[in-house]
Amino acid sequence: AQKITQTQPGMFVQEKEAVTLDCTYDTSDPSYGLFWYKQPSSGEMIFLIYQGSYDQQNATEGRYSLNFQKARKSANLVISASQLGDSAMYFCAMREPSSGNTPLVFGKGTRLSVIA
Amino acid sequence: SQTIHQWPATLVQPVGSPLSLECTVEGTSNPNLYWYRQAAGRGLQLLFYSVGIGQISSEVPQNLSASRPQDRQFILSSKKLLLSDSGFYLCAWSVKGLNYGYTFGSGTRLTVV
């Protein structure tokens, strides 16, 4: 079964508008970490934001915020004031504790295109 | 500060030829190391990961192998490449622990012809 689901293969947003990229996850473990990465056309993977399952507040990093709804098992990425440089693939990922060495499980990604 | 080096950046290899991709990490010790493959426009597929020297976990049975001869060195190999091995290969490292994500290398774009 898919552990990370990103239901939007592609999204368009107007420059300077906000956009929400969806991510739902599946785990029975109470302790886990959620991550978002950005992959521009160059291929590099850039870490954006992290949310721990026990964090009381939604994570924020500059223009990025994570809308964490634990009961719904969703961890949507919100990008405010979109810029042309935000056009990229965005991946949601989860890490479950086990020994703390468990690999990240990635979703299939959402391609965001910012329109001028 | 920690850095990760991955090379080469691009590679074109004929079918049946061997492969060796290398990844090294600087500025940390005893990292977790990972190899991922990404087909064009697709998500990341975990190939191998290692939590220590000589310890390799394989996620996908295929004609690829991985080795970790030194603490901060991770090598992806194949004896005979297939067309289906084409893709974008990414190496990554992480600190051990739940709260830590990955730092990725710049990737190798492999085309098997």
Side-chain angles (χ1 to χ4, degrees), chain A residues 32-97:
Chain A
Y32 50 89
L34 296 159
F35 303 80
W36 276 92
Y37 284 83
K38 172 185 179 181
Q39 187 180 41
S41 56
S42 59
E44 61 186 311
M45 291 285 284
I46 303 167
F47 166 73
L48 295 178
I49 198 166
Y50 164 79
Q51 179 84 45
S53 59
Y54 293 120
D55 292 345
Q56 294 297 312
Q57 295 192 338
N58 288 344
T60 60
E61 288 286 348
R63 293 187 299 111
Y64 304 108
S65 60
L66 202 151
N67 184 1
F68 182 44
Q69 298 187 41
K70 197 169 181 177
R72 296 180 59 188
K73 293 188 177 179
S74 75
N76 299 339
L77 177 70
V78 181
I79 306 175
S80 63
S82 297
Q83 302 171 355
L84 294 178
D86 294 332
S87 295
M89 281 289 286
Y90 288 81
F91 292 96
C92 180
M94 177 175 66
R95 194 174 205 178
E96 295 169 291

Side-chain angles (χ1 to χ4, degrees), chain B residues 59-79:
Chain B
E59 292 293 307
V60 182
Q62 55 203 330
N63 69 322
L64 298 173
S65 62
S67 62
R68 184 171 177 172
Q70 300 180 45
D71 181 45
R72 291 169 289 177
Q73 184 184 29
F74 204 23
I75 298 171
L76 182 69
S77 303
S78 173
K79 292 182 179 177

Side-chain angles (χ1 to χ4, degrees), chain A residues 31-33 35 37 39 41-45 47 50 89 91 95-97 100-104 106-108 111, chain B residues 32 34 36 38 41-44 46 49 51 88 90 94-106 109:
Chain A
S31 180
Y32 50 89
F35 303 80
Y37 284 83
Q39 187 180 41
S41 56
S42 59
E44 61 186 311
M45 291 285 284
F47 166 73
Y50 164 79
M89 281 289 286
F91 292 96
R95 194 174 205 178
E96 295 169 291
N101 293 327
T102 314
L104 282 177
F106 286 85
K108 294 185 176 180
R111 182 172 298 280
Chain B
N32 290 344
Y34 309 87
Y36 281 83
Q38 186 179 26
R42 305 290 293 277
L44 281 76
L46 178 65
Y49 70 97
V51 301
F88 188 56
L90 284 158
S94 73
V95 173
K96 298 186 192 312
L98 172 65
N99 298 348
Y100 299 96
Y102 295 172
T103 299
F104 284 85
S106 53
R109 201 165 299 279

Side-chain angles (χ1 to χ4, degrees), chain A residues 98-115:
Chain A
S98 300
S99 63
N101 293 327
T102 314
L104 282 177
V105 176
F106 286 85
K108 294 185 176 180
T110 295
R111 182 172 298 280
L112 177 66
S113 299
V114 180
I115 304 167

